[in-house]
Amino acid sequence: AAGVIQSPRHLIKEKRETATLKCYPIPRHDTVYWYQQGPGQDPQFLISFYEKMQSDKGSIPDRFSAQQFSDYHSELNMSSLELGDSALYFCASSPGTDSYNEQFFGPGTRLTVL
Amino acid sequence: LAKTTQPISMDSYEGQEVNITCSHNNIATNDYITWYQQFPSQGPRFIIQGYKTKVTNEVASLFIPADRKSSTLSLPRVSLSDTAVYYCLVGDMNTDKLIFGTGTRLQVFP
């Protein structure tokens, strides 16, 4: 079965650079979520989109922005990167916004900021 | 959002049944209880979800007492591959985000 695809899987950047993470949800899933998981930390919700509109916002820094496109894929844009942004970034998708829905997580993008 | 409390870690041996209890004293009427499993460097994976009483699927059972202030995830006959972090989450009907608390790190020994 098709799963959530994230690219790139690994990314190394320098401080103050920008990064773009991509997420391709499971076909027919219209909701996408982004989570950040720092080393030894629990996943933290960043932002979500439903039908290309932002549906909820969590602890996403102002330096980050995201959007969902017409084909439902999503991109997380990160600017002025800081050392503390080094983390695993997970994208998840679900068929709808109901909190009862199971979220399917991708393999993650490991971002390292040097 | 209802907060959850779980043990930080648990140890078990292969073949044993493992029960992980989660407290959620402030659970709202419309909240569901969901458990996710996470292996190192992988995304969390849905295990089971329930509202009340007992739910069972092919991998686990979820026991929820009548007051719904706690829930217990039961893993029958664990194997080494069940070593992971287990998160208990309480779903807010008004939002779709998952709020992960500090999960339970289960270590299964041979």
Side-chain angles (χ1 to χ4, degrees), chain A residues 35 37 42 97 100 103 110, chain B residues 36 38 41 49 87 96:
Chain A
Y35 294 85
Q37 187 170 26
D42 305 305
T97 60
Y100 312 152
Q103 292 189 18
R110 183 175 295 279
Chain B
Y36 278 78
Q38 186 178 28
S41 298
Q49 184 179 75
Y87 291 98
D96 50 13

Side-chain angles (χ1 to χ4, degrees), chain A residues 41-82:
Chain A
Q41 303 294 311
D42 305 305
Q44 297 294 315
F45 171 76
L46 292 178
I47 196 167
S48 61
F49 293 86
Y50 168 67
E51 285 291 344
K52 293 150 280 185
M53 298 288 289
Q54 180 182 309
S55 56
D56 204 347
K57 193 172 182 179
S59 53
I60 184 169
D62 292 340
R63 300 177 289 107
F64 294 5
S65 65
Q67 58 182 324
Q68 186 179 32
F69 295 84
S70 58
D71 63 352
Y72 295 104
H73 93 273
S74 177
E75 294 183 5
L76 177 66
N77 299 294
M78 312 160 72
S79 62
S80 303
L81 288 170
E82 302 174 356

